[in-house]
Each structure stands twice: as C-alpha cells, then as structure tokens.
C-alpha cells in the first residue's frame, strides 16, 4: 500500500472516479444522481487530496486537506483541516482510514500550518483521537461566511485540533471553549 498526495485538481481522472464512488458510498447523492468525479472543493482553500492505494492502484481510503488563514482573538494563524474522510465500506476496520488520517496529521504539521483544526461527528471522536487528533474542548467552528455563518454546534459535532507552531501552542487555551471563525465560504461550508 502507498499514499498518493496531490492537489485535488491534479488527481488523475481514474483515481477521482474511485474517490467519487467511495464518497457516494458514505454520502449518497440526493435524487440518486452521483456528483461528477471532479474537484469538489473551493480552489481558494488549496485542497490537497491524500489517497491510500493498494498495490493495484485501487483507492482504499481518501481525504482532503483544506487550508486558509484564520484570525482568532486578534492573531492570524495558518490553519488546515481534514475534509471528506472516507474508507471503502468493504475495507473498514482494517486500519486504512487511521493510517491515512495519521499521515494527514503529519502532512499538516510539515506544511508549516500553525494548527490543524476540523470537526467530525461525535461518534467518530475516538477514531480521530486514536489517529493523533485530540479533542479541543468546548470549541465551535463557525463555517460558511461572516454573512451566512454555519456554526458546528448546530450539529452533533466535536472539534479536534493539533497545535504545531510554537505560537499556536502558546495560545492553545484561547481556542478552548470558544467560537472560532473558520469561514471557508459557501462551497466548503464547514470542514
């Protein structure tokens, strides 16, 4: 097995079709028409796709890392977060998703991001914690835009975060029990 990392728009079409099929397994399309297997994220968020492939180039799991600057408590941070994390239904429970999420944590750390931060459904909290992403207690990510906010506390979600730069680690407590303006836009309303 190997992990392939590429900007979302540069993932080969055959691999994109496989990723779209995995995403359809996890999040079936409304009306039965699956989305086209092309880029799905806002290019302004610099989407980076990470794919776990078997020896025959079959996609076992995939995720995307989205990045942007955020301002929190008057400080600007380079932030990145996981999006569209999915493992082939037939391959779940074999550690593939965890391996990919651990690799994504390392990729975010190595990217120079101050912090990695994202939400997940509450029942997946343990999975992400085992992959190295600790819970950020009481934190609410506010997605959407400033004009059309989408706070994560509208859903049964928790926020996970890794603080990678010395400055982010120094100010970690500023993020706990707070509302964090992520505002990734109207395409990727919340990551």
């Amino acid at each position: 097995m190997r992990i392939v990392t590429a900007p979302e728009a540069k993932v080969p079409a055959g691999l994109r079709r496989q990723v779209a099929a995995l995403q359809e397994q996890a999040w079936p399309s409304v009306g039965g028409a699956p989305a086209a297997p092309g880029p799905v994220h806002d290019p302004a968020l610099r989407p980076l796709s990470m794919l776990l492939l078997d020896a025959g180039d079959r996609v076992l799991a995939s995720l995307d890392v989205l990045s942007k600057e955020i301002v929190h408590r008057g400080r600007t941070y380079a932030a990145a977060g996981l999006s569209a994390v999915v493992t082939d239904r037939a391959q779940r429970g074999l550690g593939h998703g965890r391996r990919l999420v651990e690799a994504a944590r390392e990729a975010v750390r190595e990217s120079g991001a101050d912090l990695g931060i994202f939400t997940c459904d509450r029942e997946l909290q343990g999975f992400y914690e085992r992959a190295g992403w600790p819970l950020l207690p009481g934190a609410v990510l506010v997605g959407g835009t400033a004009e059309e906010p989408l706070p994560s506390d509208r859903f049964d979600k928790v926020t996970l975060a890794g603080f990678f730069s010395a400055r982010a680690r120094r100010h970690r407590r500023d993020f706990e029990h707070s509302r964090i303006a992520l505002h990734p836009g109207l395409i990727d309303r919340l990551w």
Side-chain angles (χ1 to χ4, degrees), residues 29-50:
S29 303
V30 177
V40 297
H41 298 292
D42 184 339
L45 299 175
R46 303 182 309 277
L48 184 70
S49 295
M50 296 182 71

Side-chain angles (χ1 to χ4, degrees), residues 73-137:
R73 304 247 170 118
R75 292 181 186 88
T76 301
Y77 298 92
L82 307 188
S83 181
V85 178
V86 65
T87 300
D88 184 334
R89 189 178 299 136
Q91 299 292 318
R92 291 184 188 157
L94 301 174
H96 301 321
R98 181 176 174 176
R99 178 177 174 188
L100 191 58
V101 169
E102 288 171 344
R105 185 179 191 288
E106 188 62 19
V108 170
R109 187 185 66 74
E110 289 178 359
S111 75
D114 294 304
L115 71 150
I117 189 165
F118 61 97
T119 62
C120 74
D121 293 339
R122 188 172 304 280
E123 71 261 13
L124 295 173
Q125 176 183 338
F127 165 77
Y128 286 103
E129 286 179 320
R130 287 187 299 278
W133 290 97
L135 176 70
L136 186 58

